[in-house]
Amino acid sequence: MSKKSLVVEHLKRAQMLDVLTKGVRLDGRGLLDYRPITIETGIIEKANGSAKVRIGNTEVIAGVKVQTGAPFEDTPDQGLLIVTAEVLPLASAYAEPGPPNEDAIELARVADRGIRESGVVDLKELCLVKGKNVLAVFIDVSVLNVDGNLFDAVSYAAVAALLSSTMPKYEVTAEGVKDTGKTIPLPVKLTPISITMVLIGNTIIVDPTLDEESVMTARITIASADKNTICAGQKGNPGGFTEEQVMLAIDTAISKGEEIRKMLKKSVGHGKKQK
Amino acid sequence: MSKSSITKLLDAKGVRHDGRKFNELRPVTMKVGVLENADGSAYIEFGKNKIMAAVYGPREVHPKHMSVPDRSVLRCRYHMTPFSTDTRKNPAPSRREIEISKVIREGLEPALILTDYPRTAIEVYLEVLQSDGGSRCASITAASLALADAGINMRDLVVGCAAGKIEGRVVVDLDDVEDKEGEGDMPMAILPNLGQVTLLQLDGRFSRKEFDEAFKLAKDGCMKVYDIQRKALMEKYFGAEETGEQ
């Protein structure tokens, strides 16, 4: 929890509720409008894939590193895919260096579930020698500037970085696994998209700013793998949703997710051509 | 983790590996007021899950600067004992436990009237003595009983139950094996009288239709657990014979 003044919080809530009942938000957006989203890929040469995503003033950067590793005991024929997220101390006056707090842990775990559980990468294709050598895909996301909706920014950056990522081509020889020095595209199957909504008063809005997050009662993040499949969900913050609100959130996540999926694929496509 | 020898989670007749139907919960028992020192406590067995919940407070906030002038600070720690799992669990809190502590706290908070206790802390400790899938749902159910037992002002109880997907079929209340080998899990907690969803997580793949089924099964499951939860509370304060619902 960042330190906020209770008085300001209460005043802001009143003002925000007032405009929300008219169907607009303090920054002039409609209830289901995102702030402008920009996605750049291929910005870190040393990474196998990378992306910088801005949603309004929220800014995050993701990098993909692919290396060899040992598989988990219970999945000997599958590679690894790990998503981490960190709010850097330079990202906000309230962020501090040191071990991640519970908000940062939740952020990383929700992003990880949204991406891994969707089956975005066929992990069987990352197996080199069953039970011994597999490829491990690390997607590390760093938050550079905090202005609300970190969940979606982290998720889009991770997915954009994955889509633009290559992996080293390995050869399995009698002596073991050898790097051929060549790269091939990462076998990405899907484009999972997370949509975060918050409840202020009785109104659900998407893509909250930091100001909006400071007065929300509850948050819900739903990730979809495609237009018919939900692959992750997380309700957050002290507050509840009615059944109708949950259903509305699911429908919004699916329709809005499809919109953003198209946009994200297009941006990543442009990035690839420029290379 | 011990490798299970179960090859099929559902047989041809739709019976689950432990003999349950798709909408059947594991056996659930609860008891209120089980610890001497705590201001409120409860114990729950949900299948093989065995969980102890204790509440301390409202009491002074430590460190003092963490206190809030207009309400109580709710704190929650969900922790698994090293012997609660198949392979020994490192006793240090894992990232998973930190996240679960957070979602449980946020799931409990809407039920509590924290503004009744300014400048205090209410602390909820959940100790999983044995885990078997669905421990966060069982924990939040026990936590709300312990809070009620501590006499904290509440708007409603909180009750949890999960739904999930095994072999393409949506079922209620996954156990450990079904959780690991199934295709999805959706833990949920509700305020049964206020009709609010206060904890909702989902992982795995669900179509829109499957989500609706899962939501309904979890909700119905919650209502069944709520019955047992309410009886457990009545039993402590009014004695078993006066619950009138045996």
Side-chain angles (χ1 to χ4, degrees):
Chain A
M1 269 286 273
S2 53
K3 297 167 192 80
K4 284 173 231 124
S5 153
L6 282 176
V7 181
V8 175
E9 209 175 296
H10 288 317
L11 284 174
K12 234 188 238 167
R13 184 191 299 270
Q15 191 190 7
M16 228 168 244
L17 282 176
D18 189 44
V19 292
L20 281 180
T21 50
K22 298 180 188 111
V24 287
R25 293 155 74 171
L26 284 182
D27 56 9
R29 277 186 288 160
L31 303 179
L32 301 181
D33 291 343
Y34 268 71
R35 292 168 286 177
I37 302 176
T38 59
I39 299 170
E40 296 166 68
T41 52
I43 45 175
I44 304 290
E45 291 82 359
K46 291 200 172 182
N48 294 95
S50 60
K52 188 184 229 180
V53 168
R54 288 194 191 85
I55 306 182
N57 289 327
T58 289
E59 193 172 333
V60 308
I61 186 165
V64 177
K65 286 281 201 186
V66 185
Q67 47 194 58
T68 53
F72 290 127
E73 262 175 48
D74 51 350
T75 51
D77 60 342
Q78 291 184 17
L80 314 178
L81 180 76
I82 292 157
V83 186
T84 76
E86 187 183 5
V87 181
L88 300 177
L90 57 72
S92 136
Y94 301 110
E96 284 176 55
N101 63 15
E102 58 170 21
D103 291 332
I105 289 173
E106 185 188 27
L107 176 65
R109 287 180 57 89
V110 172
D112 185 55
R113 281 204 288 271
I115 289 165
R116 208 157 30 84
E117 295 286 341
S118 68
V120 59
V121 175
D122 187 351
L123 296 178
K124 293 213 164 114
E125 287 186 33
L126 302 180
C127 180
L128 299 170
V129 183
K130 189 176 168 183
K132 249 178 119 180
N133 300 99
V134 297
L135 290 178
V137 179
F138 291 92
I139 313 168
D140 298 297
V141 191
S142 292
V143 178
L144 300 175
N145 198 63
V146 175
D147 189 19
N149 201 9
L150 297 183
F151 285 88
D152 290 353
V154 165
S155 142
Y156 304 162
V159 172
L162 262 185
L163 284 172
S164 65
S165 185
T166 59
M167 63 181 193
K169 190 170 174 7
Y170 285 91
E171 252 173 21
V172 181
T173 61
E175 296 103 75
V177 173
K178 212 176 77 194
D179 191 345
T180 59
K182 291 181 197 142
T183 58
I184 48 172
L186 204 66
V188 181
K189 305 280 177 214
L190 290 160
T191 313
I193 295 291
S194 97
I195 299 289
T196 295
M197 295 147 276
V198 301
L199 186 66
I200 301 177
N202 278 318
T203 311
I204 288 186
I205 56 172
V206 302
D207 181 31
T209 61
L210 189 61
D211 278 353
E212 286 166 336
E213 284 183 355
S214 72
V215 302
M216 68 180 166
T217 48
R219 187 196 72 231
I220 189 164
T221 299
I222 305 286
S224 58
D226 54 49
K227 60 175 183 284
N228 192 37
T229 314
I230 301 152
C231 60
Q234 176 101 341
K235 184 242 132 197
N237 244 57
F241 289 97
T242 62
E243 184 171 343
E244 292 72 40
Q245 286 166 338
V246 172
M247 295 305 165
L248 174 68
I250 299 280
D251 290 335
T252 308
I254 289 173
S255 58
K256 213 68 203 172
E258 199 53 18
E259 229 173 81
I260 291 185
R261 185 171 294 114
K262 284 197 184 112
M263 188 273 298
L264 191 140
K265 278 185 177 162
K266 216 170 136 197
S267 322
V268 174
H270 286 312
K272 268 192 182 157
K273 269 177 224 148
Q274 282 163 9
K275 256 199 200 167
Chain B
M1 287 301 117
S2 73
K3 203 75 188 140
S4 75
S5 53
I6 293 150
T7 47
K8 264 210 137 356
L9 294 175
L10 271 181
D11 72 9
K13 286 184 191 142
V15 176
R16 293 154 75 174
H17 77 94
D18 57 358
R20 282 188 289 155
K21 294 196 288 273
F22 76 101
N23 61 351
E24 195 177 337
L25 300 176
R26 289 170 286 178
V28 186
T29 57
M30 299 177 214
K31 193 163 165 42
V32 179
V34 289
L35 293 171
E36 200 49 46
N37 284 340
D39 295 313
S41 61
Y43 174 71
I44 184 167
E45 287 193 9
F46 207 119
K48 287 190 205 123
N49 287 294
K50 296 177 198 294
I51 298 159
M52 192 72 91
V55 169
Y56 283 87
R59 64 180 178 182
E60 223 176 303
V61 187
H62 289 294
K64 262 191 177 150
H65 69 85
M66 299 296 285
S67 77
V68 182
D70 70 342
R71 59 179 181 268
S72 180
V73 179
L74 181 67
R75 288 171 172 159
C76 180
R77 185 181 105 131
Y78 162 99
H79 182 252
M80 293 170 90
T81 56
F83 47 81
S84 61
T85 46
D86 289 333
T87 45
R88 179 176 181 269
K89 189 212 152 275
N90 184 324
S94 64
R95 292 161 63 85
R96 173 182 170 275
E97 286 167 294
I98 294 171
E99 187 205 344
I100 291 178
S101 300
K102 181 176 193 282
V103 296
I104 289 179
R105 188 189 72 225
E106 293 171 344
L108 289 169
E109 203 168 316
L112 304 174
I113 308 176
L114 294 177
T115 46
D116 283 355
Y117 314 100
R119 295 177 303 279
T120 65
I122 296 170
E123 277 142 23
V124 180
Y125 298 105
L126 293 157
E127 207 57 51
V128 179
L129 307 175
Q130 179 165 279
S131 81
D132 186 38
S135 70
R136 76 195 69 185
C137 293
S139 293
I140 201 167
T141 305
S144 97
L145 274 180
L147 284 159
D149 186 39
I152 309 288
N153 293 349
M154 295 170 82
R155 299 182 176 91
D156 203 344
L157 285 170
V158 187
V159 53
C161 183
K165 206 170 129 187
I166 51 170
E167 315 246 343
R169 173 108 200 235
V170 179
V171 300
V172 77
D173 181 31
L174 301 189
D175 70 8
D176 207 24
V177 174
E178 293 174 325
D179 185 20
K180 289 215 173 67
E181 307 197 0
E183 298 110 72
D185 186 23
M186 189 183 86
M188 185 161 108
I190 63 168
L191 309 184
N193 295 294
L194 296 174
Q196 292 265 310
V197 179
T198 66
L199 183 153
L200 184 67
Q201 294 183 289
L202 182 150
D203 66 284
R205 295 166 65 90
F206 291 82
S207 70
R208 184 66 178 82
K209 196 170 148 273
E210 285 165 346
F211 176 83
D212 286 349
E213 282 175 49
F215 190 91
K216 189 174 179 306
L217 277 178
K219 197 173 101 180
D220 292 349
C222 282
M223 294 313 287
K224 285 181 199 161
V225 180
Y226 174 57
D227 255 359
I228 303 166
Q229 190 189 33
R230 221 186 35 196
K231 276 180 196 153
L233 199 57
M234 303 266 262
E235 194 171 334
K236 170 162 180 198
Y237 288 99
F238 304 107
E241 67 274 38
E242 286 184 52
T243 59
E245 289 187 44
Q246 287 304 313

